[in-house]
Amino acid sequence: MMHRRLVTAALLPLLFAGPAAAETLANDYPTEARAEYVFTCMTVNGQTQDMLRRCSCSIDTIASILPYDNFVSAETVLRMRIGGGERTALFRGSPTMQTVAADLRRAQAEAEMVCF
């Protein structure tokens, strides 16, 4: 009986931290990064109120799926793939880099289905 109380007491804070931890993860993107994404999205898709809403929804969805550090890594990989030369080969052929980029593409695909 005493053991059960100790386990319950230890796990209780985790039960209440669950949603808060998920909310923190979804909100770990700096405002500047979110704004840059929205501006770029609107430049590509049109600068309307509807696109503002959709692009904001898109980055919010991505943020709920992908931690910010992973987002930055994936953006870096995709930017480094542009162009040619020996330096970009690492970002094109490495399985790790392919996985990083694929994670962002999956998050973007989910965001597109939800928001567009």
Side-chain angles (χ1 to χ4, degrees):
M1 186 74 147
M2 180 68 161
H3 178 67
R4 185 179 297 165
R5 287 184 189 166
L6 289 174
V7 171
T8 302
L11 293 178
L12 194 58
L14 296 176
L15 292 174
F16 291 109
E23 185 177 319
T24 300
L25 178 65
N27 289 317
D28 73 339
Y29 282 49
T31 303
E32 182 179 308
R34 288 177 185 263
E36 181 181 346
Y37 182 94
V38 171
F39 289 145
T40 303
C41 177
M42 289 179 67
T43 299
V44 172
N45 294 301
Q47 297 183 1
T48 65
Q49 188 69 28
D50 183 49
M51 277 303 130
L52 173 63
R53 184 183 54 76
R54 291 174 187 266
C55 293
S56 297
C57 171
S58 180
I59 190 61
D60 290 345
T61 302
I62 291 169
S64 73
I65 296 169
L66 200 63
Y68 181 66
D69 288 342
N70 295 25
F71 176 79
V72 170
S73 296
E75 286 279 307
T76 302
V77 168
L78 294 176
R79 287 184 180 150
M80 292 303 293
R81 286 181 173 180
I82 297 171
E86 195 173 304
R87 290 184 179 177
T88 63
L90 170 68
F91 295 95
R92 293 181 191 275
S94 166
T96 302
M97 301 298 172
Q98 290 175 354
T99 300
V100 167
D103 289 344
L104 177 57
R105 287 196 177 114
R106 278 191 290 278
Q108 288 173 325
E110 177 72 22
E112 190 167 323
M113 290 181 355
V114 170
C115 304
F116 290 90

